[in-house]
Amino acid sequence: FIGIHFFSPVEKMPLVEIIVGRKTSTQTIARALDYVAQLKKTPIVVNDSRGFYTSRVFGVFTAEGMKLLEEGVNPALIENVARQAGMPVGPLAVSDEVTLELQYKVLKQTEKDLGAKFMKPVSYDVLHKFVEELRRIGRRGGAGFYDYPPGAPKHLWPGLAGVYPPAAQQPDPEEVRKRLMYIQALETARCVEEGVITDMREADIGSILGFGFAPFTGGTLSYIDGMGLPAFVALCQKLAKKHGPRFAPNRLLKRLAKEGTTFYGRFPPKPPSSAAPPPAASPTW
């Protein structure tokens, strides 16, 4: 059994995420890779977890955008800062594209599956309001964070100001940028710690081709490595103190920072082999 995760729109998106289970054979992985090669797509191989790798990181990006909106940050500021940071579209626009309804259904299913262990993401209340109360489910429904008038360009819904009034004092754009970018890099680091990601190159490739993380950075892990882990950890700690524990650096990040190494230094790429490696049963550090 193996998962093959395509990205929408399939005919345009180059990435395919291959999700491996604990008992998936190397032969099955090899067949999946051959299949993806025939389709002329770029594969990455990750271990199974809720949300896999790409959906997990994509989810924290959109959630942070919704949290900013809920806090009273001007929606145009959120969207423009995200694009200026190198993202192809802002978190509100891309949420509309995948639909708010789908994201809300995923959260409700997760809540049902996990029960008492479920922790509400920062986007939960915003999604509930838009899907359950406002009935604005996203682009597919013709209305979400944006309006989609027939024959005219989309535009941010003017009613947003009534639902989440802009705060009198708006944050510095740099603060917004850090929140949107660091949360994605941090979630990738958590995926490495949990053994979802075993090859740092696949994390970087997946972040750029899968959810459009600023290509000039080299990807989410190269973004951290380029900044330096001590600096990244210190900045995350500041964000955690100000905005909550979701920004707290994980144990692996702090360990690598203390060692003075990087993700690529600690987990160097392995030489190519004739068959894909078996999935890691647990992290190897």
Side-chain angles (χ1 to χ4, degrees):
F1 189 85
I2 198 164
I4 302 179
H5 177 206
F6 291 86
F7 294 76
S8 181
V10 175
E11 70 276 11
K12 293 181 180 179
M13 296 295 283
L15 189 75
V16 174
E17 187 176 29
I18 295 176
I19 300 101
V20 177
R22 289 183 180 273
K23 297 182 180 180
T24 306
S25 68
T26 54
Q27 291 84 356
T28 299
I29 300 172
R31 286 188 177 188
L33 289 169
D34 286 346
Y35 169 64
V36 172
Q38 290 179 55
L39 298 178
K40 295 181 171 57
K41 300 286 189 181
T42 300
I44 61 171
V45 180
V46 305
N47 286 314
D48 190 22
S49 90
R50 186 173 292 273
F52 318 135
Y53 159 57
T54 53
S55 295
R56 275 182 62 170
V57 182
F58 172 81
V60 298
F61 170 61
T62 57
E64 198 62 30
M66 293 182 213
K67 182 61 177 175
L68 286 161
L69 177 68
E70 187 180 40
E71 291 173 2
V73 179
N74 191 309
L77 176 62
I78 299 168
E79 298 291 84
N80 288 332
V81 166
R83 290 195 294 267
Q84 289 168 3
M87 301 301 294
V89 293
L92 305 181
V94 77
S95 292
D96 269 8
E97 292 294 334
V98 301
T99 77
L100 309 180
E101 182 181 48
L102 174 60
Q103 294 178 77
Y104 186 62
K105 285 182 176 180
V106 169
L107 290 184
K108 295 301 289 183
Q109 184 63 50
T110 304
E111 186 175 20
K112 180 180 178 182
D113 293 346
L114 297 184
K117 295 181 180 180
F118 176 71
M119 296 181 65
K120 285 186 178 181
V122 293
S123 58
Y124 190 96
D125 291 341
V126 176
L127 288 170
H128 175 83
K129 181 177 288 291
F130 269 76
V131 176
E132 297 282 7
E133 298 177 19
L134 301 174
R135 303 295 181 183
R136 296 180 65 92
I137 66 169
R139 184 168 186 170
R140 182 173 60 81
F145 295 123
Y146 284 74
D147 277 334
Y148 301 89
K154 71 180 182 182
H155 56 80
L156 282 163
W157 178 41
L160 279 174
V163 181
Y164 299 111
Q169 183 68 37
Q170 291 291 304
D172 185 275
E174 180 63 12
E175 177 82 359
V176 175
R177 183 193 69 80
K178 286 177 179 178
R179 287 177 61 174
L180 292 173
M181 301 300 282
Y182 288 16
I183 198 70
Q184 297 179 74
L186 185 53
E187 191 66 21
T188 302
R190 292 175 181 137
C191 287
V192 175
E193 182 173 66
E194 294 170 23
V196 178
I197 291 290
T198 57
D199 189 314
M200 307 306 104
R201 297 169 298 179
E202 293 184 314
D204 278 345
I205 291 169
S207 68
I208 293 172
L209 299 185
F211 48 89
F213 190 82
F216 70 88
T217 65
T220 45
L221 293 182
S222 288
Y223 182 64
I224 299 174
D225 280 1
M227 187 182 306
L229 272 79
F232 183 77
V233 166
L235 288 165
C236 284
Q237 288 171 333
K238 287 182 180 179
L239 288 171
K241 186 175 181 179
K242 187 174 182 180
H243 300 292
R246 66 186 180 280
F247 283 103
N250 58 313
R251 184 175 57 182
L252 175 62
L253 260 176
K254 291 188 286 187
R255 177 176 174 180
L256 296 183
K258 187 176 181 180
E259 292 175 358
T261 186
T262 62
F263 280 98
Y264 278 87
R266 181 64 177 79
F267 309 108
K270 298 175 182 178
S273 61
S274 58
S282 61
T284 55
W285 40 88

